Amino acid sequence: MKITTEQLPNCSIALTVEPDPERVDEALKRAARKVAAKYTVPGYRKGKAPYAAVVRAYGKEALFEQVVEDMGDEVYKQALEESGLEPIAPGELKDVTFDPLVFHLVLPMPPEVDLAGYRSIRVERAAVVVDEEEVDKELVKLQQANSDWVPVEDEGAQYGDLITLQLNGAVEDDVIVEDDAFEIELQEEENDDFPPGFDAAFLGAKAEDTLSFDLEYPEDWHSEVRAGATVHFDAVINSVKRQELPALDDDFAPLVGDFDTLEDLKASIREGMLEELQSQADNEYANTALGQMIEVATIQYPEVLLDDYTERMAREQKSMISRLGIPFNEYLRLIGRTETEFLADMRGNARQQLLSDLFIEELIDAEQLQPTEDQISERVQELLDRETEDAEGLRDLLESQGGRHAVMHEIERRDAVLRVMAIADGTAPTLEELE
């Protein structure tokens, strides 16, 4: 068997395989016997025609095609063994030439990553500051959450009041709402479920009032079924309540949690916001630093690897859309994309993810970030300590070979991201210190 290889761009190799002539001749004779047994050869009974007669009747090319079908897989497997090549996916048969029989294939080989000057990347960190206005807004939310709704007896309903009512609404004979305990908090903003003016129709209403009114959906309403339709509403007001907010003072703090003063509560809110903002800032910082490191690196990969990433990402996205109960075609309509454009978007996202994964994998080796068995065991225990329902089932999963392997990859990825950040802000140990 003659084997020649040629390096192609994007981590691909052209593999040319020419089986030994004697082997091909034997294969041609076997192919001729198959053809003779299956088809009629003029002048001979089925299965009795000699090789030359089969060639005259059907042509040698037809026999070669049978040979390719019979021995193609075997030749491919032997060629890989003899060449020592280890493609990451099955090779693609590009062409077969006859007389002599030669297989022309392209093999997708493992990606190649040169991290280059990644350790020279520096990214300035932005200071994280909590906006006191946001603290006050959160305080107001807590105030509202701990408020009481008290009945309004003498005054009519206002914006912000909570109304409970019996509500019936119909477009001619088509009932759109029928609820004996309908609740609505009146808002000045338009209601997404009902025509403009719905909330305003209840202003001034009191308990036991009866109302009847007509409203019209706009022509450009988001539901085509309702667009332009006139709805008749009948309502009986059961109750009108107004929100009574507690004073924001030291007496309010214990209502929310284990706090002695209002300032203690605000400090807790501030600390939580700072932690969340810092986490967001760290993620953005890591992504920025990683992106800059990928730009200076040289990363090559076979196209089939990007195809796999794209297919998996598109499959996961479609599955998520399906779980939301949205037909895929309806989803495309909502986002204003065709399926071709959707797949193009997925391919772009998949490429970024692939580059990130390949860079991180190489970085783990370069920075010697492989966790020890003790570190894996510690992480497994951390995960088990969080489990409250089926700790034993989770233990069996995490202690399996596959489970520990998954935990190992989680640790590697986490530590790689931390190392990227440390390199970018100049606090990482030198490579010499890692030796």
Side-chain angles (χ1 to χ4, degrees):
M1 178 181 288
K2 295 180 182 178
I3 299 174
T4 59
T5 60
E6 178 188 354
Q7 186 66 51
L8 300 177
N10 299 325
C11 301
S12 297
I13 287 181
L15 177 68
T16 303
V17 184
E18 182 181 345
D20 295 334
E22 296 82 3
R23 183 179 179 185
V24 175
D25 287 342
E26 286 299 320
L28 284 169
K29 291 174 182 176
R30 287 195 299 273
R33 288 194 291 270
K34 279 188 177 182
V35 171
K38 190 173 182 180
Y39 301 103
T40 300
V41 177
Y44 298 92
R45 287 180 297 155
K46 275 191 176 183
K48 299 300 182 181
Y51 177 77
V54 175
V55 171
R56 284 196 303 272
Y58 292 99
K60 197 171 185 180
E61 185 170 327
L63 297 185
F64 270 118
E65 291 174 354
Q66 182 65 50
V67 167
V68 170
E69 182 179 335
D70 290 344
M71 66 185 298
D73 289 344
E74 183 182 344
V75 167
Y76 174 68
K77 186 182 297 185
Q78 184 179 347
L80 292 184
E81 291 174 355
E82 293 189 13
S83 65
L85 296 173
E86 296 182 358
I88 62 171
E92 181 181 0
L93 182 62
K94 289 291 187 179
D95 191 20
V96 180
T97 54
F98 304 139
D99 234 352
L101 178 62
V102 181
F103 294 84
H104 303 269
L105 304 103
V106 173
L107 308 182
M109 301 305 291
E112 297 175 3
V113 180
D114 180 1
L115 298 179
Y118 76 102
R119 270 193 161 254
S120 65
I121 296 298
R122 294 293 181 272
V123 180
E124 185 177 352
R125 275 187 178 273
V128 176
V129 179
V130 175
D131 187 342
E132 286 302 311
E133 287 188 6
E134 294 301 316
V135 175
D136 291 338
K137 287 180 182 178
E138 187 62 27
L139 200 59
V140 169
K141 289 180 182 178
L142 291 172
Q143 183 189 31
Q144 292 175 336
N146 287 273
S147 64
D148 292 322
W149 289 94
V150 297
V152 177
E153 297 179 356
D154 298 329
E155 299 180 43
Q158 303 174 4
Y159 284 123
D161 288 350
L162 178 67
I163 297 182
T164 304
L165 63 151
Q166 302 170 42
L167 180 65
N168 293 281
V171 178
E172 296 180 350
D173 295 331
D174 181 17
V175 176
I176 66 169
V177 60
E178 188 175 24
D179 193 336
D180 288 340
F182 187 83
E183 279 192 345
I184 180 171
E185 187 176 341
L186 300 184
Q187 303 292 333
E188 292 189 57
E189 296 81 11
E190 296 296 350
N191 194 306
D192 289 336
D193 297 319
F194 295 102
F198 182 79
D199 289 40
F202 297 101
L203 293 176
K206 298 179 181 180
E208 299 183 4
D209 282 357
T210 299
L211 290 78
S212 292
F213 55 91
D214 293 335
L215 294 175
E216 185 175 330
Y217 285 104
E219 293 291 343
D220 60 352
W221 190 251
H222 56 76
S223 170
E224 295 180 2
V225 177
R226 303 283 181 234
T230 298
V231 191
H232 178 75
F233 292 98
D234 292 311
V236 177
I237 308 301
N238 295 332
S239 67
V240 178
K241 295 181 180 179
R242 190 160 295 161
Q243 195 173 31
E244 191 174 85
L245 299 173
L248 289 177
D249 54 23
D250 289 344
D251 291 334
F252 173 73
L255 298 176
V256 178
D258 188 18
F259 305 105
D260 294 327
T261 67
L262 185 64
E263 202 50 50
D264 291 342
L265 172 58
K266 293 178 71 172
S268 176
I269 294 172
R270 194 177 296 113
E271 182 181 349
M273 285 186 169
L274 181 61
E275 184 177 333
E276 184 177 349
L277 289 172
Q278 188 63 61
S279 177
Q280 293 174 358
D282 286 346
N283 287 336
E284 292 174 5
Y285 184 80
N287 289 335
T288 299
L290 180 59
Q292 292 188 21
M293 291 180 187
I294 289 174
E295 285 182 6
V296 301
T298 301
I299 304 176
Q300 296 183 331
Y301 53 84
E303 201 69 10
V304 67
L305 198 54
L306 179 57
D307 292 341
D308 288 345
Y309 264 66
T310 303
E311 289 172 9
R312 183 170 68 250
M313 191 170 286
R315 187 168 56 250
E316 290 172 354
Q317 182 76 357
K318 289 180 178 180
S319 177
M320 182 192 72
I321 294 166
S322 177
R323 288 196 299 273
L324 293 173
I326 304 174
F328 183 61
N329 288 339
E330 176 65 11
Y331 171 79
L332 292 177
R333 188 189 69 78
L334 291 172
I335 65 173
R337 308 292 280 174
T338 65
E339 184 164 7
T340 299
E341 291 169 335
F342 167 81
L343 291 174
D345 293 341
M346 288 294 104
R347 194 167 187 83
N349 296 337
R351 181 177 184 276
Q352 293 303 316
Q353 186 62 56
L354 174 58
L355 290 174
S356 175
D357 288 350
L358 294 177
F359 182 91
I360 289 293
E361 287 175 11
E362 190 68 19
L363 181 79
I364 289 167
D365 287 338
E367 297 285 328
Q368 302 177 38
L369 295 174
Q370 295 83 359
T372 64
E373 286 298 317
D374 286 344
Q375 288 174 316
I376 295 173
S377 295
E378 288 175 8
R379 179 56 179 157
V380 166
Q381 190 58 51
E382 287 177 9
L383 295 171
L384 289 173
D385 290 342
R386 296 179 187 174
E387 179 61 35
T388 58
E389 295 183 1
D390 186 15
E392 285 306 312
L394 182 61
R395 182 183 300 278
D396 291 342
L397 175 64
L398 294 178
E399 290 293 1
S400 68
Q401 183 177 356
R404 290 184 68 84
H405 195 70
V407 172
M408 178 193 73
H409 279 303
E410 181 207 356
I411 297 172
E412 287 179 340
R413 181 90 187 182
R414 179 200 65 194
D415 289 351
V417 172
L418 291 174
R419 183 59 55 85
V420 164
M421 296 168 66
I423 291 170
D425 65 19
T427 61
T430 65
L431 292 177
E432 289 75 18
E433 291 172 335
L434 296 174
E435 294 295 334

Coordinates of all heavy atoms in Angstrom, one line a residue, residues 103-179:
F103 N -7.3 6.1 -3.6 CA -8.3 6.8 -2.8 C -7.7 8.2 -2.4 O -6.6 8.3 -1.9 CB -8.6 6.1 -1.5 CG -9.3 4.7 -1.7 CD1 -8.5 3.6 -2.0 CD2 -10.6 4.6 -1.6 CE1 -9.2 2.4 -2.3 CE2 -11.3 3.4 -1.8 CZ -10.5 2.3 -2.1
H104 N -8.5 9.2 -2.6 CA -8.1 10.6 -2.2 C -9.0 11.1 -1.1 O -10.2 11.3 -1.3 CB -8.2 11.6 -3.4 CG -7.3 11.1 -4.6 ND1 -6.0 11.5 -4.8 CD2 -7.7 10.3 -5.6 CE1 -5.6 11.0 -5.9 NE2 -6.6 10.2 -6.4
L105 N -8.4 11.3 0.1 CA -9.2 11.7 1.3 C -8.6 12.9 1.9 O -7.5 13.3 1.7 CB -9.2 10.6 2.4 CG -9.7 9.2 1.9 CD1 -8.5 8.3 1.8 CD2 -10.6 8.6 3.0
V106 N -9.5 13.6 2.7 CA -9.0 14.7 3.5 C -9.4 14.4 5.0 O -10.5 14.1 5.3 CB -9.7 16.1 3.1 CG1 -9.4 17.2 4.1 CG2 -9.3 16.5 1.7
L107 N -8.4 14.5 5.9 CA -8.6 14.2 7.3 C -8.6 15.4 8.1 O -7.7 16.3 8.0 CB -7.4 13.2 7.7 CG -7.1 12.0 6.9 CD1 -6.0 11.2 7.6 CD2 -8.4 11.1 6.8
P108 N -9.6 15.6 9.0 CA -9.5 16.7 10.0 C -8.6 16.3 11.2 O -8.9 15.3 11.9 CB -11.0 16.8 10.4 CG -11.6 15.4 10.2 CD -10.8 14.8 9.1
M109 N -7.6 17.1 11.4 CA -6.6 16.7 12.4 C -6.9 17.6 13.7 O -7.6 18.6 13.6 CB -5.2 16.9 11.9 CG -4.9 16.1 10.7 SD -5.2 14.3 11.0 CE -3.9 13.9 12.1
P110 N -6.3 17.3 14.8 CA -6.5 18.1 16.0 C -6.1 19.5 15.8 O -5.2 19.9 15.0 CB -5.5 17.4 17.0 CG -5.4 16.0 16.5 CD -5.4 16.1 15.0
P111 N -6.8 20.4 16.6 CA -6.5 21.8 16.5 C -5.0 22.1 16.9 O -4.4 21.4 17.7 CB -7.5 22.5 17.4 CG -8.5 21.4 17.7 CD -7.9 20.1 17.5
E112 N -4.5 23.3 16.5 CA -3.2 23.7 16.8 C -3.3 25.1 17.5 O -3.9 26.0 16.8 CB -2.3 23.7 15.6 CG -2.1 22.4 15.0 CD -1.2 22.4 13.7 OE1 -0.8 23.5 13.4 OE2 -1.1 21.4 13.1
V113 N -2.8 25.3 18.7 CA -2.9 26.5 19.4 C -1.5 27.0 19.8 O -0.7 26.3 20.4 CB -3.7 26.4 20.6 CG1 -3.8 27.7 21.3 CG2 -5.1 25.9 20.3
D114 N -1.1 28.2 19.4 CA 0.1 28.9 19.8 C -0.3 30.1 20.6 O -0.9 31.1 20.1 CB 0.9 29.3 18.6 CG 2.2 30.0 19.0 OD1 2.5 30.1 20.2 OD2 3.0 30.4 18.1
L115 N -0.1 30.0 21.9 CA -0.5 31.1 22.8 C 0.2 32.4 22.6 O -0.2 33.5 23.0 CB -0.4 30.7 24.3 CG -1.2 29.5 24.7 CD1 -0.9 29.1 26.2 CD2 -2.7 29.7 24.5
A116 N 1.4 32.3 22.0 CA 2.2 33.5 21.6 C 2.4 34.4 22.8 O 2.8 33.9 23.9 CB 1.6 34.2 20.5
G117 N 2.1 35.7 22.7 CA 2.4 36.7 23.8 C 1.3 36.9 24.7 O 1.1 38.0 25.2
Y118 N 0.6 35.9 25.1 CA -0.6 36.1 26.0 C -0.2 36.6 27.3 O -1.0 37.4 27.9 CB -1.3 34.7 26.2 CG -0.7 33.7 27.1 CD1 -1.1 33.6 28.4 CD2 0.4 33.0 26.7 CE1 -0.5 32.7 29.3 CE2 1.0 32.1 27.5 CZ 0.6 31.9 28.8 OH 1.2 31.0 29.7
R119 N 1.0 36.4 27.8 CA 1.4 36.8 29.1 C 1.8 38.3 29.1 O 2.0 38.9 30.2 CB 2.6 36.0 29.7 CG 2.0 34.8 30.5 CD 3.1 34.1 31.3 NE 2.5 33.3 32.3 CZ 2.5 33.7 33.6 NH1 3.0 34.8 34.0 NH2 2.0 32.9 34.5
S120 N 1.8 38.9 27.9 CA 2.1 40.4 27.9 C 0.9 41.2 27.9 O 0.9 42.4 28.0 CB 2.9 40.7 26.6 OG 2.0 40.4 25.4
I121 N -0.3 40.6 27.9 CA -1.6 41.3 27.9 C -1.8 41.9 29.3 O -1.7 41.2 30.3 CB -2.7 40.4 27.5 CG1 -2.6 39.9 26.1 CG2 -4.1 41.1 27.7 CD1 -2.6 41.0 25.0
R122 N -2.1 43.2 29.3 CA -2.5 43.9 30.5 C -3.8 44.6 30.3 O -4.0 45.3 29.3 CB -1.4 44.9 31.0 CG -0.1 44.2 31.4 CD -0.3 43.4 32.7 NE 1.0 42.8 33.1 CZ 1.4 41.6 32.7 NH1 0.6 40.9 31.8 NH2 2.5 41.1 33.1
V123 N -4.7 44.5 31.2 CA -6.0 45.2 31.1 C -6.3 45.9 32.4 O -6.2 45.3 33.5 CB -7.2 44.2 30.8 CG1 -8.5 44.9 30.7 CG2 -6.9 43.4 29.6
E124 N -6.6 47.2 32.3 CA -6.8 48.0 33.5 C -8.2 47.6 34.1 O -9.2 47.5 33.4 CB -6.8 49.5 33.2 CG -6.9 50.4 34.4 CD -6.8 51.9 34.0 OE1 -6.5 52.2 32.8 OE2 -7.1 52.7 34.9
R125 N -8.2 47.5 35.4 CA -9.4 47.2 36.1 C -10.2 48.5 36.5 O -9.6 49.5 36.9 CB -9.2 46.4 37.4 CG -9.0 44.9 37.3 CD -8.9 44.3 38.6 NE -8.8 42.9 38.6 CZ -9.9 42.0 38.6 NH1 -11.1 42.6 38.6 NH2 -9.7 40.7 38.6
A126 N -11.5 48.5 36.3 CA -12.3 49.6 36.7 C -12.8 49.4 38.1 O -13.1 48.3 38.5 CB -13.5 49.8 35.7
A127 N -12.8 50.5 38.9 CA -13.2 50.5 40.2 C -14.7 50.2 40.3 O -15.5 50.7 39.5 CB -12.9 51.8 41.0
V128 N -15.2 49.4 41.2 CA -16.6 49.1 41.4 C -17.1 49.9 42.5 O -16.6 49.9 43.6 CB -16.8 47.6 41.7 CG1 -18.3 47.3 41.9 CG2 -16.3 46.8 40.5
V129 N -18.2 50.7 42.2 CA -18.8 51.6 43.2 C -20.3 51.4 43.2 O -20.9 51.3 42.1 CB -18.4 53.1 42.8 CG1 -19.1 54.1 43.9 CG2 -16.9 53.3 42.8
V130 N -20.8 51.4 44.4 CA -22.3 51.2 44.5 C -22.9 52.6 44.5 O -22.5 53.5 45.2 CB -22.6 50.5 45.9 CG1 -24.1 50.5 46.1 CG2 -22.1 49.1 45.9
D131 N -23.9 52.8 43.6 CA -24.7 54.0 43.5 C -25.7 54.1 44.7 O -26.5 53.2 44.8 CB -25.4 54.1 42.2 CG -26.1 55.4 41.9 OD1 -26.3 56.1 42.9 OD2 -26.4 55.6 40.7
E132 N -25.6 55.1 45.5 CA -26.5 55.2 46.7 C -27.9 55.4 46.2 O -28.8 55.0 47.0 CB -26.1 56.4 47.5 CG -24.8 56.2 48.3 CD -24.9 55.0 49.2 OE1 -25.9 54.9 50.0 OE2 -24.0 54.2 49.2
E133 N -28.2 55.9 45.0 CA -29.5 56.0 44.6 C -30.1 54.6 44.4 O -31.3 54.3 44.6 CB -29.6 56.7 43.2 CG -29.4 58.2 43.4 CD -29.7 59.0 42.1 OE1 -30.1 58.3 41.1 OE2 -29.4 60.2 42.0
E134 N -29.3 53.6 43.9 CA -29.7 52.2 43.8 C -30.0 51.6 45.1 O -30.9 50.8 45.3 CB -28.7 51.4 43.0 CG -28.5 51.9 41.6 CD -29.7 51.8 40.8 OE1 -30.5 50.8 40.9 OE2 -30.0 52.7 40.0
V135 N -29.2 52.0 46.1 CA -29.5 51.5 47.5 C -30.9 52.0 48.0 O -31.7 51.2 48.5 CB -28.4 51.9 48.5 CG1 -28.7 51.5 49.9 CG2 -27.1 51.3 48.1
D136 N -31.1 53.2 47.7 CA -32.4 53.8 48.1 C -33.6 53.2 47.4 O -34.7 52.9 47.9 CB -32.4 55.3 47.9 CG -31.5 56.1 48.8 OD1 -31.2 55.5 49.9 OD2 -31.1 57.2 48.5
K137 N -33.4 52.9 46.1 CA -34.4 52.2 45.3 C -34.7 50.8 45.8 O -35.9 50.4 45.9 CB -34.0 52.1 43.8 CG -34.0 53.4 43.1 CD -33.6 53.2 41.6 CE -33.5 54.5 40.8 NZ -33.0 54.3 39.4
E138 N -33.7 50.1 46.2 CA -33.9 48.8 46.8 C -34.6 48.9 48.2 O -35.4 48.0 48.5 CB -32.5 48.1 47.0 CG -32.6 46.6 47.5 CD -33.3 45.7 46.5 OE1 -33.3 46.0 45.3 OE2 -33.9 44.7 46.9
L139 N -34.3 49.9 48.9 CA -35.0 50.2 50.2 C -36.5 50.4 50.0 O -37.3 49.9 50.7 CB -34.3 51.4 50.9 CG -34.5 51.5 52.4 CD1 -34.0 50.3 53.1 CD2 -33.8 52.8 52.9
V140 N -36.8 51.2 48.9 CA -38.2 51.4 48.6 C -38.9 50.1 48.2 O -40.1 49.9 48.6 CB -38.3 52.5 47.5 CG1 -39.7 52.5 46.9 CG2 -37.8 53.8 47.9
K141 N -38.2 49.2 47.5 CA -38.8 47.9 47.1 C -39.1 47.1 48.4 O -40.2 46.5 48.5 CB -37.9 47.1 46.2 CG -37.7 47.7 44.8 CD -36.7 46.8 44.0 CE -36.5 47.4 42.6 NZ -35.5 46.5 41.9
L142 N -38.2 47.2 49.4 CA -38.5 46.4 50.6 C -39.6 47.1 51.4 O -40.4 46.4 52.0 CB -37.2 46.5 51.5 CG -36.0 45.6 50.9 CD1 -34.8 45.9 51.8 CD2 -36.4 44.1 51.0
Q143 N -39.7 48.4 51.3 CA -40.8 49.1 51.9 C -42.1 48.7 51.4 O -43.1 48.4 52.1 CB -40.6 50.6 51.8 CG -41.6 51.5 52.5 CD -41.4 53.0 52.1 OE1 -41.0 53.3 51.0 NE2 -41.8 53.8 53.1
Q144 N -42.2 48.6 50.0 CA -43.4 48.2 49.3 C -43.8 46.8 49.7 O -44.9 46.4 49.8 CB -43.3 48.4 47.8 CG -43.2 49.9 47.4 CD -42.9 50.1 46.0 OE1 -42.4 49.2 45.3 NE2 -43.3 51.3 45.5
A145 N -42.7 45.9 49.7 CA -43.0 44.5 50.0 C -43.5 44.3 51.4 O -44.2 43.3 51.7 CB -41.7 43.7 49.8
N146 N -43.2 45.2 52.3 CA -43.7 45.1 53.7 C -44.9 46.1 54.0 O -45.1 46.4 55.2 CB -42.5 45.4 54.7 CG -41.5 44.2 54.7 OD1 -41.7 43.3 55.5 ND2 -40.5 44.3 53.9
S147 N -45.5 46.5 53.0 CA -46.6 47.4 53.2 C -47.9 46.7 53.4 O -48.0 45.4 53.2 CB -46.8 48.3 51.9 OG -47.1 47.5 50.8
D148 N -49.0 47.4 53.8 CA -50.3 46.8 54.0 C -51.2 47.4 53.0 O -51.1 48.6 52.6 CB -50.8 47.1 55.4 CG -50.0 46.3 56.4 OD1 -49.7 45.1 56.2 OD2 -49.7 46.8 57.5
W149 N -52.2 46.7 52.5 CA -53.3 47.2 51.7 C -54.5 47.4 52.5 O -55.1 46.5 53.1 CB -53.6 46.3 50.5 CG -52.5 46.2 49.5 CD1 -51.5 45.3 49.5 CD2 -52.3 47.1 48.4 NE1 -50.7 45.5 48.4 CE2 -51.1 46.6 47.7 CE3 -53.0 48.2 47.9 CZ2 -50.7 47.3 46.6 CZ3 -52.5 48.8 46.8 CH2 -51.4 48.4 46.1
V150 N -54.9 48.7 52.7 CA -56.0 49.0 53.6 C -57.2 49.5 52.7 O -57.1 50.1 51.7 CB -55.7 50.1 54.6 CG1 -54.5 49.6 55.5 CG2 -55.2 51.4 53.9
P151 N -58.4 49.1 53.1 CA -59.6 49.5 52.4 C -59.8 51.0 52.3 O -59.5 51.7 53.2 CB -60.8 48.8 53.1 CG -60.1 47.7 53.9 CD -58.8 48.2 54.3
V152 N -60.3 51.4 51.1 CA -60.6 52.8 50.9 C -62.1 52.9 50.9 O -62.8 52.3 50.0 CB -60.0 53.4 49.6 CG1 -60.4 54.8 49.3 CG2 -58.5 53.2 49.6
E153 N -62.7 53.7 51.8 CA -64.1 53.7 51.9 C -64.7 55.0 51.3 O -65.7 55.0 50.6 CB -64.5 53.6 53.4 CG -64.1 52.2 54.0 CD -64.4 52.1 55.4 OE1 -64.9 53.1 56.0 OE2 -64.2 51.0 56.0
D154 N -64.2 56.2 51.6 CA -64.8 57.4 51.2 C -64.3 58.0 49.9 O -65.1 58.6 49.2 CB -64.5 58.5 52.3 CG -65.1 58.1 53.7 OD1 -66.2 57.4 53.6 OD2 -64.6 58.5 54.7
E155 N -63.1 57.7 49.5 CA -62.6 58.2 48.3 C -62.7 57.2 47.2 O -62.8 56.0 47.4 CB -61.1 58.5 48.4 CG -60.8 59.6 49.5 CD -59.3 59.8 49.6 OE1 -58.6 59.9 48.5 OE2 -58.8 59.9 50.7
G156 N -62.7 57.7 45.9 CA -62.7 56.8 44.8 C -61.3 56.3 44.4 O -60.3 56.8 45.0
A157 N -61.3 55.3 43.6 CA -60.0 54.7 43.3 C -59.0 55.7 42.6 O -59.5 56.5 41.8 CB -60.2 53.4 42.4
Q158 N -57.7 55.5 42.9 CA -56.7 56.3 42.2 C -55.7 55.4 41.6 O -55.6 54.2 41.9 CB -56.0 57.2 43.3 CG -56.9 58.2 44.0 CD -56.2 58.9 45.1 OE1 -55.0 58.8 45.3 NE2 -57.0 59.7 45.9
Y159 N -54.8 56.0 40.8 CA -53.7 55.2 40.3 C -52.8 54.7 41.5 O -52.6 55.4 42.4 CB -52.8 56.0 39.4 CG -53.4 56.2 38.0 CD1 -53.6 57.5 37.5 CD2 -53.7 55.1 37.2 CE1 -54.1 57.7 36.2 CE2 -54.3 55.3 35.9 CZ -54.5 56.6 35.4 OH -55.0 56.8 34.2
G160 N -52.5 53.4 41.4 CA -51.7 52.8 42.5 C -52.6 52.0 43.4 O -52.1 51.2 44.2
D161 N -53.9 52.2 43.4 CA -54.8 51.4 44.2 C -55.0 50.0 43.7 O -54.9 49.8 42.5 CB -56.2 52.1 44.3 CG -56.1 53.4 45.2 OD1 -55.1 53.6 45.8 OD2 -57.1 54.2 45.2
L162 N -55.4 49.1 44.6 CA -55.6 47.7 44.2 C -57.1 47.5 44.2 O -57.8 47.7 45.2 CB -54.9 46.8 45.2 CG -55.1 45.3 44.9 CD1 -54.5 44.8 43.6 CD2 -54.6 44.5 46.1
I163 N -57.7 47.1 43.1 CA -59.1 46.9 42.9 C -59.4 45.4 42.7 O -58.7 44.7 41.9 CB -59.7 47.7 41.7 CG1 -59.5 49.2 42.0 CG2 -61.2 47.3 41.6 CD1 -60.1 50.0 40.9
T164 N -60.4 44.9 43.5 CA -60.9 43.5 43.3 C -62.3 43.6 42.7 O -63.1 44.4 43.3 CB -60.9 42.7 44.6 OG1 -59.6 42.7 45.1 CG2 -61.3 41.3 44.3
L165 N -62.6 42.9 41.7 CA -63.9 43.1 41.0 C -64.3 41.8 40.3 O -63.5 40.9 40.0 CB -63.8 44.3 40.0 CG -62.8 44.1 38.8 CD1 -63.3 44.9 37.6 CD2 -61.4 44.6 39.2
Q166 N -65.6 41.9 40.0 CA -66.2 40.9 39.0 C -66.1 41.5 37.6 O -66.7 42.6 37.4 CB -67.6 40.5 39.4 CG -67.8 40.0 40.8 CD -69.2 39.9 41.2 OE1 -70.1 39.5 40.4 NE2 -69.6 40.3 42.4
L167 N -65.4 40.8 36.7 CA -65.2 41.4 35.4 C -65.6 40.5 34.3 O -65.3 39.3 34.3 CB -63.7 41.7 35.2 CG -63.3 42.4 33.9 CD1 -63.9 43.7 33.7 CD2 -61.8 42.5 33.8
N168 N -66.4 41.0 33.4 CA -66.7 40.3 32.1 C -66.4 41.2 31.0 O -66.8 42.4 31.0 CB -68.2 39.9 32.1 CG -68.6 38.9 33.2 OD1 -68.3 37.7 33.1 ND2 -69.1 39.4 34.3
G169 N -65.8 40.6 29.9 CA -65.5 41.3 28.7 C -65.7 40.5 27.5 O -65.3 39.3 27.5
A170 N -66.3 41.1 26.4 CA -66.5 40.3 25.2 C -66.5 41.2 24.0 O -66.8 42.4 24.1 CB -67.9 39.6 25.3
V171 N -66.0 40.5 22.9 CA -66.1 41.1 21.6 C -67.3 40.5 20.9 O -67.1 39.3 20.5 CB -64.8 41.0 20.8 CG1 -65.0 41.6 19.4 CG2 -63.6 41.6 21.5
E172 N -68.4 41.1 20.9 CA -69.7 40.5 20.4 C -69.9 39.2 21.3 O -70.1 39.3 22.5 CB -69.6 40.3 18.9 CG -69.5 41.5 18.1 CD -69.5 41.3 16.6 OE1 -69.3 40.1 16.2 OE2 -69.6 42.3 15.9
D173 N -69.9 38.0 20.6 CA -70.2 36.8 21.4 C -68.9 36.1 21.8 O -68.9 35.0 22.5 CB -71.0 35.8 20.5 CG -72.3 36.3 20.1 OD1 -72.9 37.1 21.0 OD2 -72.8 36.0 19.1
D174 N -67.7 36.7 21.6 CA -66.4 36.1 21.9 C -66.0 36.6 23.3 O -65.6 37.8 23.4 CB -65.4 36.4 20.9 CG -64.0 35.8 21.2 OD1 -64.0 34.9 22.0 OD2 -63.0 36.3 20.6
V175 N -66.1 35.8 24.3 CA -65.7 36.2 25.7 C -64.2 36.2 25.8 O -63.6 35.2 25.5 CB -66.3 35.2 26.7 CG1 -65.9 35.6 28.1 CG2 -67.9 35.3 26.7
I176 N -63.7 37.4 26.2 CA -62.2 37.4 26.4 C -61.8 37.4 27.9 O -60.7 37.1 28.2 CB -61.6 38.7 25.7 CG1 -62.1 40.0 26.4 CG2 -62.0 38.7 24.2 CD1 -61.4 41.2 26.0
V177 N -62.7 37.7 28.8 CA -62.5 37.6 30.2 C -63.8 37.4 30.9 O -64.8 38.0 30.6 CB -61.7 38.9 30.7 CG1 -62.5 40.1 30.5 CG2 -61.3 38.7 32.2
E178 N -63.7 36.5 31.9 CA -64.8 36.2 32.8 C -64.3 35.8 34.1 O -63.9 34.6 34.3 CB -65.8 35.2 32.2 CG -67.1 35.0 32.9 CD -68.0 34.0 32.2 OE1 -67.5 33.2 31.4 OE2 -69.2 34.1 32.4
D179 N -64.2 36.7 35.1 CA -63.5 36.4 36.3 C -64.3 37.1 37.5 O -64.5 38.3 37.5 CB -62.1 37.0 36.3 CG -61.2 36.5 37.4 OD1 -61.7 36.1 38.4 OD2 -60.0 36.5 37.2

